[in-house]
Structure formats: C-alpha cells, structure tokens
Amino acid sequence: MNKIVKPALLWAVILFSAFAAACKMDIKHEIWLKKNGSGKARMDFFINYPISAGNEGMQFSISEALGGMVEELKTSKGYKLLSYKTIVDSTESEINYREVIEFQFTDLDKLNQVLRAEDMDAIRLSKEKKKSLLTLYPPGFKLLSYERQQENLSLFDIAAEIKLHLPAKPKSVTGDEPSGQKGKLLTWSWLLDENWYSDFYEDIVIEY
C-alpha cells in the first residue's frame, strides 16, 4: 500500500523561510460522509504573506508540496482525485495563494491517511445497535507535526474550519458545539492559538 506523501516537511521549511513575517493561513476541510464510511473530501489551503526578501518563492514550494500529495491520490488505491486547483492573486506588496484538492475515499482509514500529520485518527466511526457515532478530534486535522505546528502557532495567524455533511440528521453533539448547523451539515470554526495542541482537547462525538 502506498503511503500518502505529507506536505508537512516542505511546509515547515516554507513557513520558517518567511522569517516570521506577518502571515495568515486558512485551513478548511469539508467532508461528505456516506453510511458505509466512504465519501468525498475537500481540502482548501490559503496563505497570505507580504512580499519581502527570502519569501518570494513560497507559493512555488507550496505547489510542489501539495502536488506530491495529488500525485499519490492519483495512484494510490482507495482514492479518486476529482479536482486540483491553484489560485494566485498578487499585488505589489502581498501574495494571496490558494490550493484546493477534492477527492473521493473508500473508507475513513484512507481519509485519515490524508488528514493527519501523525499517527492519530482525526475521524472515527462506530455503530451501536441502530445508532452511528462519529468521533472527531479537531487537532488531528493538521498539516504539520505537533512540534512544528506548535512553533508556527506563535508566528502565524491560523484559522481552521471543518464542515461535515452527515448521511443522516444528527441527533446529538457532545464536546465542542458546532458554530453552525443546517440539516445534515455541521460546521466548526476556530482561531488557533498556542494552546490548541498543548492542552487536552475533548473529542467531538456526533450521534446520528
């Protein structure tokens, strides 16, 4: 089985090459889940950074890193790449760079291989009699290792969002309450701080 290539190492080099310049990063995950655990995922990465000496080529390194992930999604079993988009909007003083990856997965194990930077499950599904329990661990949705991500949180403004389309309307949500709910869609949004990975974070459990 092929292992999905993580952009973690390259992203660590990319981010620290900015020499702590003021940067903003948005990391968005949207998941459409079916009853059998298969589904579709959309990963949306956005970074804004000022143009200054030492970071002019950041977007090219990002493209190379995520491009490696895309190639693995194309060739590894259990995935079907649906789309891969790159959007660049530059001015004289800053660059806005965005990459969006959309793919299908056959089960949650396959999805976790893409979502996580370390050996932890970001999303799990279990069944008890006639109910399904979906467990989310939001800090597991990360590009970088724990050490690198913790360092970056002190240097960059990072916002995260998870949108989850369930196969049925949720009956209950324990843990962090969603910031938005509409039918089968649940949404969580966070502004990450230095305690995001250092403190114990309670699992989110959704029953449906």
Side-chain angles (χ1 to χ4, degrees), residues 83-102:
S83 65
Y84 175 43
K85 299 178 182 178
T86 300
I87 303 168
V88 183
D89 180 17
S90 303
T91 67
E92 293 182 356
S93 60
E94 66 178 16
I95 290 180
N96 295 301
Y97 188 83
R98 183 182 178 195
E99 295 218 7
V100 183
I101 302 170
E102 192 168 321

Side-chain angles (χ1 to χ4, degrees), residues 49-192:
Y49 62 94
I51 297 175
S52 60
N55 65 7
E56 298 92 337
M58 286 178 67
Q59 74 270 25
F60 301 111
S61 297
I62 294 171
S63 180
E64 181 181 357
L66 295 181
M69 177 188 290
V70 167
E71 288 303 313
E72 289 292 339
L73 288 172
K74 288 180 179 178
T75 58
S76 299
K77 293 182 178 180
Y79 305 98
K80 180 180 180 181
L81 181 66
L82 300 176
S83 65
Y84 175 43
K85 299 178 182 178
T86 300
I87 303 168
V88 183
D89 180 17
S90 303
T91 67
E92 293 182 356
S93 60
E94 66 178 16
I95 290 180
N96 295 301
Y97 188 83
R98 183 182 178 195
E99 295 218 7
V100 183
I101 302 170
E102 192 168 321
F103 62 93
Q104 292 176 337
F105 54 90
T106 56
D107 55 62
L108 291 182
D109 286 340
K110 291 293 183 181
L111 178 60
N112 277 308
Q113 289 180 33
V114 179
L115 294 179
R116 64 194 181 198
E118 297 174 323
D119 190 19
M120 64 174 66
D121 288 340
I123 181 169
R124 306 187 304 275
L125 178 64
S126 61
K127 295 185 181 295
E128 296 181 5
K129 297 182 179 179
K130 294 184 178 181
K131 65 181 180 180
S132 296
L133 297 175
L134 188 71
T135 302
L136 298 182
Y137 180 63
F141 289 74
K142 61 175 183 278
L143 293 172
L144 308 177
S145 67
Y146 171 86
E147 292 79 9
R148 288 298 189 185
Q149 191 74 10
Q150 193 68 23
E151 291 172 353
N152 289 333
L153 283 173
S154 64
L155 298 173
F156 303 94
D157 294 328
I158 304 177
E161 179 182 82
I162 297 174
K163 287 187 175 183
L164 179 61
H165 301 260
L166 296 169
K169 190 174 181 179
K171 297 178 180 178
S172 65
V173 178
T174 59
D176 200 347
E177 289 291 328
S179 55
Q181 180 174 345
K182 185 177 181 180
K184 301 177 185 178
L185 172 62
L186 298 175
T187 302
W188 290 266
S189 300
W190 302 271
L191 291 176
L192 308 192

Side-chain angles (χ1 to χ4, degrees), residues 23-69:
C23 293
K24 176 184 177 182
M25 182 185 296
D26 293 331
I27 304 174
K28 298 180 180 179
H29 296 84
E30 188 163 7
I31 300 167
W32 292 261
L33 189 64
K34 297 180 180 179
K35 289 183 179 180
N36 63 359
S38 66
K40 182 176 71 172
R42 189 172 189 261
M43 303 169 71
D44 189 334
F45 309 101
F46 171 82
I47 185 168
N48 166 271
Y49 62 94
I51 297 175
S52 60
N55 65 7
E56 298 92 337
M58 286 178 67
Q59 74 270 25
F60 301 111
S61 297
I62 294 171
S63 180
E64 181 181 357
L66 295 181
M69 177 188 290

